[in-house]
Amino acid sequence: MWSSFSAPPGRPLPLLLLLLPFLLFLRLTGACPESCSCLPGNSIMCSERRSSVMPGAIPVSTQHLYIFENGVGTLSEDDFAGLDALELLDLSQNQLVALPDGVFGQLSSLRNLDLSSNQIAHVSEHSFSGLVKLERLYLYSNRIQSIHPAAFEGLDQLLELKLQLNALTVLPPVRLPRLLLLDISHNRIPPPGAADLRTPNLESLRMADLGLAGLDEELMSSLTNLHVLDLSQNKLTSMPAALRSVRGLIRLSLASNPLGQLAKEDFENLVGLQGLDLSNLNLQGFPEGFFQLFPKLNHLTVAGNPFNCLCPLAWFPGWVRGQSVELARREETRCHFPPSNSGKVLADLERRDFGCPVTTAATARTRPPVLSSTPAAAPLPPTARAGTTTTAAAAASVHTPSPPDAQGPAASPSTAYRYRPRPADKELLCPANICLNGGTCKFNPQGQVECLCPPDTAGLYCENRDESPSHPSPPVEATAGTAAATPEPDISSRQVTSTSILLDLKRYIATRPHIRGIRLTYRKLSGPDQRAQTLHIPANFPEYTLRGLRPNCTYSVCASAMGEPGGAGSSCTEARTTGAPVASPMEPRVVDPVAPPLVLALAGLALVMVATAVVAALVFLRRRRRSKAAHVELDGDEPAPLELEGVKACLDNGALPHKQPEIIAPCPPQQTTPTTTTMPNGVQEYEALLMQGQGNANNNVASLKPSYF
């Protein structure tokens, strides 16, 4: 039977032919490929093989094959020969640049194909031929410039198609009757129309960062099953009118759009919303009764807006707590104005922090204004609103007060606005909410509005409150009706210094045992530079140290699983670095921290006196020897006044402890006993790491090989 494989005389039989029976035996018996791990359920995981080719001898019974982050650069039909039972193939995070025609043709049972995070540039007509049962196709984070119009034909069972983060300029026709999720975000394609998307059962459509200025009404009306819509990072200046025909939305994202304002009538048909993202819209507040439109709302994101935390917004923290609404990115939802609330977390404020005036019978009921987004990020003063008037003409005469006139009389320190009432305004009260924290508003004789502040407040608007320590409130005992304790976060900071934060990731890893890696994103919450930094670390690091941070800053740190775009399932924490050492390197080091300052001063003075006496004695002895050698008789025992003054001048400039040792005068060479006060180079203490300035150098393990992404 093996006669046909015999080698010609004088030539040995090829090694491959000799090993062929053995390889066939291993494949049929289910042996695990080299550098791979065989898992229960006919699953094989080949991670970080660092090989440009597919592993060989894969058992034919394999159902789930994971070959991510291997460095695979090419594929061929022979790589999948006999794998008729394969249902899942993960080739993400490799070096694939092309998909040969029919390369997956033998995988007739394949349902999930992940080709994300490669370098694929083109998709041909027959790239996915034969995948008649395919349900999920992930092509995101590649370099795809073009897709053949017929590339998705025959994929009638497809449920999810992800094409985000590519270089597409034209969207191929998507005619998939069963498709439920489509993500085309972060491409440069024209706005899709009804002819481009024929997906009647589509539930989730993500179109972030497409440069959209509007939506096609015919397309929106055809998506009768749409539940999730992402329109973030586009160029929408107002709510698209096409959204009025979409009545089944559950989640809507309008983040990072230049919307002019929020109007209640634009959202009246979205009564079923459960999640709403209004972050980074430059909003100062919300229209009155805005959130009453969404009775089912349970997830809200309004981070990154410069909120005007005055009395018209005092209802918001209580509403969030009372409605049990989850406020996402809570630590990034902060006040911008007034100065007394600037930088504070909005949801942590109490009603008294908003400076609402004391309610009396004569006080008119104020309504929260409709605050629109403004392009300027500078803090704005409170809007002057009219109070109760006796005539309609008086109310109509309210106008925006102008700044104080530079030519007029000198204004008092508490003057807020110049306001010149006309004859019809004599009965007009002061604008509401101008004076904060219970301050009283009145007109001075020059027609200016003044705030009379209570004793514990100050400022133009009485916005600065005395932060006197208050008595601690008694502890509240837990009862049966008390809410459960706050669950322990998945990530936390164990230790912080002025330039580093040590993160504890053990709980995060324990609750996600199957993640491929961890994406860490951190950024400052204050200051001019709040750009996010992203790191990728293996999933087996229980602790990780962020280095090269700025002192005395608050950082937000989030961890999410790699391979999940948009930070899905992320967990965040907040930590503040300590302040930098305030002691100057020129200052002497104090050994005993509990010594009283007076004792230190006396000790320094005594040291100066001893040093002066030693120097004077040395000068005196030198002059005496010099006079004896020259047989010249000294007139007196005291050294010359000029020489003593020179020594004393040096000590005054460099040795007295109460002087700031910024510039130390050089002492004469006769002074041979150095002290800590005159030798600053010997007491300098280095607390910072030697490798500073490496903002992103956060490698904890020197031997860790760089990942492909």
Side-chain angles (χ1 to χ4, degrees), residues 416-441:
Y417 293 112
R418 163 85 63 180
Y419 187 82
R420 297 182 177 90
R422 295 180 295 183
D425 296 332
K426 292 183 178 180
E427 297 183 0
L428 181 65
L429 300 179
C430 282
N433 300 330
I434 285 292
C435 301
L436 308 178
N437 296 314
T440 304
C441 172

Side-chain angles (χ1 to χ4, degrees), residues 32-37 44-51 55 70:
C32 198
E34 184 180 359
S35 302
C36 297
S37 302
I44 296 179
M45 181 173 292
C46 308
S47 177
E48 301 184 7
R49 291 172 52 251
R50 301 292 184 248
S51 175
N70 278 226

Side-chain angles (χ1 to χ4, degrees), residues 626-673:
R626 192 178 300 166
S627 62
K628 285 183 178 181
H631 300 284
V632 178
E633 202 172 327
L634 295 175
D635 293 335
D637 295 336
E638 295 295 331
L642 291 178
E643 294 184 11
L644 282 182
E645 289 177 4
V647 174
K648 182 178 180 182
C650 171
L651 294 175
D652 286 343
N653 290 333
L656 292 182
H658 64 275
K659 298 277 187 180
Q660 180 68 23
E662 294 179 358
I663 301 177
I664 301 178
C667 295
Q670 290 84 357
Q671 185 176 355
T672 59
T673 305

Side-chain angles (χ1 to χ4, degrees), residues 309-327:
C309 295
L310 293 172
C311 195
L313 198 59
W315 58 270
F316 183 77
W319 174 83
V320 171
R321 293 188 292 265
Q323 299 294 325
S324 300
V325 175
E326 178 186 355
L327 188 62

Side-chain angles (χ1 to χ4, degrees), residues 268-495:
E268 288 179 348
N269 64 313
L270 303 177
V271 294
L273 278 183
Q274 299 178 18
L276 180 60
D277 190 346
L278 299 174
S279 57
N280 299 306
L281 296 185
N282 223 6
L283 297 175
Q284 299 178 31
F286 306 102
E288 181 183 5
F290 178 71
F291 291 107
Q292 296 177 4
L293 298 172
F294 318 116
K296 300 180 180 179
L297 191 68
N298 54 36
H299 190 278
L300 177 65
T301 308
V302 291
N305 287 301
F307 285 113
N308 197 351
C309 295
L310 293 172
C311 195
L313 198 59
W315 58 270
F316 183 77
W319 174 83
V320 171
R321 293 188 292 265
Q323 299 294 325
S324 300
V325 175
E326 178 186 355
L327 188 62
R329 296 169 60 189
R330 185 176 183 273
E331 69 283 353
E332 301 175 45
T333 308
R334 299 180 180 246
C335 299
H336 186 65
F337 185 84
S340 59
N341 289 333
S342 178
K344 295 182 179 179
V345 177
L346 175 58
D348 290 345
L349 298 182
E350 300 293 339
R351 183 174 178 83
R352 62 177 179 272
D353 299 322
F354 291 86
C356 295
V358 179
T359 303
T360 61
T363 302
R365 188 173 66 91
T366 60
R367 301 174 61 188
V370 178
L371 296 176
S372 62
S373 60
T374 57
L380 302 174
T383 304
R385 294 177 54 87
T388 304
T389 61
T390 55
T391 63
S397 65
V398 177
H399 61 279
T400 304
S402 60
D405 190 358
Q407 304 299 328
S412 63
S414 61
T415 299
Y417 293 112
R418 163 85 63 180
Y419 187 82
R420 297 182 177 90
R422 295 180 295 183
D425 296 332
K426 292 183 178 180
E427 297 183 0
L428 181 65
L429 300 179
C430 282
N433 300 330
I434 285 292
C435 301
L436 308 178
N437 296 314
T440 304
C441 172
K442 72 180 188 69
F443 288 104
N444 64 11
Q446 288 78 29
Q448 299 170 347
V449 174
E450 290 184 348
C451 288
L452 302 180
C453 301
D456 59 339
T457 62
L460 293 179
Y461 318 108
C462 308
E463 71 272 13
N464 299 325
R465 181 186 292 273
D466 256 342
E467 299 294 340
S468 56
S470 57
H471 298 286
S473 57
V476 180
E477 298 182 359
T479 61
T482 306
T486 304
E488 182 181 355
D490 289 345
I491 65 172
S492 59
S493 57
R494 290 186 50 195
Q495 181 181 353

